Amino acid sequence: MLSGCGSFQVNPPLARYDPSSGYRFEKLEPGSNSDKLFVILVFSGGGTRAAALSYGVLEALRDTQIEWKNRKISLLDEVDVISSISGGSFPAAYYALYGLRIFDEFPNRFLYRSIQSELIDSALTPAGLLKLGGSTFGRSDLAAEFYDREVFGAGTYAEVIARARRPFVILNATDMTTGTQFPFTQDQFDLLCSDLSGISLGRAAAASSAYPGGLTPLTFKNYAGKCGYRQPEWVDLAVQDHKSRLNIRRAARAENRLSYTATDLNPRKYIHLTDGGVADNIGLREPLAAITSLNNSWSVLRLINQKKVDKLVVIVVNAGTNPTTRRDQRPEVPGLVDTLTAAAVVPLGNYSFDTLELLRQTVNEFNESMRLVSGCKELAASKGPRCELDIPVPHQIEFFPIEVAFEYIQAVDERNWFKNLPTTLELPRETVDKLRKVGQQILSEDPEFKRLMEVLHGCIPFAGQGC
């Protein structure tokens, strides 16, 4: 009977849809942050390994001094957006909630702790066992309670909204039914007629890191149709693209949004979220959509078209590994667990590489279009006033794609050591410190990061040595 009390934490309904309130990019004060230099951080999954590597990059950006708009500031001050999944969501969420306090508190509250062992211990307590006996309460619900209590101090999105400061931090989970990314933003929760401000950072991080098998999906209630929500105009237009095939990606995004708001045919009363890495193992898909589409809620392309962005910096912290396997040393048929693991992990690695290449290709094509239009206008003008072309020239931007990944470690033995670290929520203290240091080192050695520092007259600190 007591186990029947175990139930998931219900997300609050949204009384009335209001596109001018809630956790949205345009509602955050830029402060001294300038859109001209637009910086996006992307934190991948990988348990404590990913959290430590991402935290090391945050430390490096804090210590990196640049000269921008006649001011000497930290590069971290110019970060506009952080997109994260799974293990990378823990430092991202902590920074969103507490800002610079992360550098005093996060290592001891998360990185240096045996989080995984503590989660198991909490599940084996009488209270934990009773809760887990409930049909609507899973291991991730227990993990969310632990994160609230032990890591995030029960902080909610209401506190993040009250801070009203950039960066805009997007924790990404995966919708288990559609297989698409589910970002923790008010624009996404508008679809559910739910109020993101009442959701804790611990529960959002738990959803983003609900590793399939080890942790259960998290359940969120869908109140669609009860808050007066109206889909953006582009959604209705995109649905008409199916037959024409003019913009298949836009049509797919529209159908995904409509899947939450359908109230007549097969309504989705509950949404089940699992690890963000299932849809995107490095967390880059959401920023890529913002860079390539005007239909995104925080469209970077719109800012570029408005000539508000001159320099676009995307720093991807990719904690992906490639552990050594004995599979290829033996003739035996691989077992079920080995096969399922390979089927889940190997395609994601290839998908992550393709996403990075797509980002580079997108920006290159954008600048190439600018050069073509400019060339056509110059050629036409050279033929006389009557031939001049009255067409707008796309705004050219400088693009700095930066990746922090173990693949770029020069020494073979060291590279293999990092690429064989496990994906767990606990690592030895010395391993955590090595990850922090190597993240700073790889960032400082990245050719695009060096080019950025030359352009911004910045200096590159390393290992706490300062500038």
Side-chain angles (χ1 to χ4, degrees):
M1 291 175 64
L2 287 173
S3 68
C5 297
S7 179
F8 70 96
Q9 186 183 87
V10 179
N11 49 300
L14 187 65
R16 181 177 60 87
Y17 167 61
D18 182 2
S20 65
S21 66
Y23 192 52
R24 308 176 195 272
F25 175 77
E26 64 271 16
K27 298 298 294 181
L28 302 182
E29 292 291 337
S32 59
N33 191 309
S34 166
D35 283 341
K36 290 292 184 181
L37 174 60
F38 202 91
V39 182
I40 301 174
L41 301 185
V42 177
F43 294 163
S44 82
T48 299
R49 180 185 72 245
L53 190 68
S54 299
Y55 179 76
V57 170
L58 284 175
E59 290 180 297
L61 297 178
R62 174 201 60 188
D63 297 335
T64 300
Q65 299 297 308
I66 62 172
E67 189 175 308
W68 182 246
K69 300 298 179 182
N70 299 319
R71 295 181 299 120
K72 288 188 176 181
I73 58 174
S74 162
L75 185 54
L76 184 60
D77 294 332
E78 280 292 328
V79 173
D80 297 278
V81 177
I82 300 177
S83 174
S84 67
I85 59 106
S86 200
S89 287
F90 290 96
Y94 207 93
Y95 188 57
L97 187 60
Y98 296 120
L100 295 178
R101 282 173 53 184
I102 189 174
F103 300 113
D104 298 320
E105 303 169 352
F106 189 69
N108 289 327
R109 297 200 72 167
F110 186 85
L111 294 178
Y112 294 145
R113 293 178 64 171
S114 299
I115 297 290
Q116 189 161 303
S117 296
E118 293 184 52
L119 286 174
I120 294 173
D121 290 343
S122 67
L124 296 178
T125 62
L129 290 172
L130 285 171
K131 287 182 177 181
L132 290 173
S135 62
T136 60
F137 191 95
R139 293 185 296 278
S140 287
D141 292 283
L142 203 62
E145 292 182 349
F146 176 85
Y147 300 147
D148 277 339
R149 183 176 65 252
E150 299 292 333
V151 180
F152 298 106
T156 67
Y157 273 94
E159 296 172 57
V160 179
I161 294 170
R163 291 188 75 237
R165 294 290 304 275
R166 293 190 191 178
F168 183 51
V169 178
I170 308 168
L171 274 59
N172 296 286
T174 299
D175 185 328
M176 191 174 178
T177 298
T178 64
T180 55
Q181 204 164 58
F182 188 100
F184 276 74
T185 63
Q186 187 55 54
D187 179 70
Q188 182 71 26
F189 274 77
D190 283 341
L191 301 173
L192 313 184
C193 277
S194 182
D195 188 357
L196 180 62
S197 67
I199 295 174
S200 68
L201 273 295
R203 190 163 181 80
S208 181
S209 60
Y211 189 78
L215 291 165
T216 53
L218 279 167
T219 302
F220 289 79
K221 193 170 181 179
N222 189 358
Y223 306 95
K226 298 180 180 179
C227 67
Y229 174 72
R230 301 181 303 278
Q231 290 278 9
E233 184 179 356
W234 70 265
V235 174
D236 293 332
L237 295 173
V239 172
Q240 302 172 22
D241 287 345
H242 280 284
K243 187 175 181 179
S244 67
R245 306 182 186 182
L246 292 176
N247 194 331
I248 298 176
R249 282 185 183 172
R250 188 176 72 159
R253 289 199 301 269
E255 288 292 347
N256 179 56
R257 293 180 69 93
L258 290 172
S259 74
Y260 297 103
T261 58
T263 57
D264 46 3
L265 184 65
N266 192 28
R268 301 179 64 189
K269 297 180 180 179
Y270 298 94
I271 307 301
H272 302 280
L273 302 182
T274 189
D275 193 297
V278 174
D280 173 16
N281 203 35
I282 54 176
L284 186 56
R285 298 298 290 189
E286 177 69 12
L288 182 60
I291 293 170
T292 58
S293 174
L294 295 173
N295 302 324
N296 188 278
S297 62
W298 56 281
S299 174
V300 178
L301 180 58
R302 185 181 302 113
L303 296 176
I304 293 173
N305 287 343
Q306 294 170 349
K307 300 184 178 181
K308 293 183 178 180
V309 176
D310 290 337
K311 295 174 174 57
L312 176 61
V313 181
V314 180
I315 302 176
V316 178
V317 184
N318 184 0
T321 58
N322 185 21
T324 302
T325 174
R326 297 181 180 179
R327 183 189 309 125
D328 298 332
Q329 308 299 323
R330 299 175 300 190
E332 290 83 6
V333 175
L336 177 62
V337 174
D338 188 19
T339 301
L340 291 176
T341 301
V345 174
V346 174
L348 277 175
N350 296 333
Y351 182 69
S352 299
F353 175 80
D354 290 342
T355 305
L356 284 167
E357 290 304 304
L358 181 59
L359 174 64
R360 294 187 179 95
Q361 179 183 342
T362 297
V363 178
N364 289 339
E365 288 178 353
F366 188 87
N367 282 335
E368 182 62 24
S369 297
M370 188 283 305
R371 287 189 286 269
L372 286 173
V373 173
S374 297
C376 288
K377 290 190 70 170
E378 290 176 5
L379 181 60
S382 68
K383 303 300 181 182
R386 292 184 179 182
C387 296
E388 289 185 359
L389 299 175
D390 185 18
I391 55 176
V393 178
H395 180 55
Q396 185 175 20
I397 61 171
E398 284 188 274
F399 178 51
F400 300 86
I402 299 165
E403 185 182 9
V404 175
F406 301 134
E407 194 63 41
Y408 303 118
I409 298 174
Q410 180 65 30
V412 176
D413 291 344
E414 182 184 12
R415 182 170 67 248
N416 288 337
W417 185 84
F418 281 105
K419 292 176 72 172
N420 277 277
L421 289 176
T423 301
T424 61
L425 284 176
E426 59 181 270
L427 290 172
R429 187 185 188 99
E430 57 272 17
T431 300
V432 169
D433 287 338
K434 286 182 179 179
L435 285 161
R436 291 167 60 182
K437 184 176 179 179
V438 81
Q440 299 167 20
Q441 178 182 347
I442 298 171
L443 177 66
S444 68
E445 294 174 349
D446 184 272
E448 289 294 321
F449 186 71
K450 290 181 177 179
R451 184 169 71 89
L452 176 65
M453 290 300 99
E454 291 176 1
V455 171
L456 300 178
H457 306 291
C459 66
I460 305 175
F462 174 59
Q465 296 176 2
C467 293

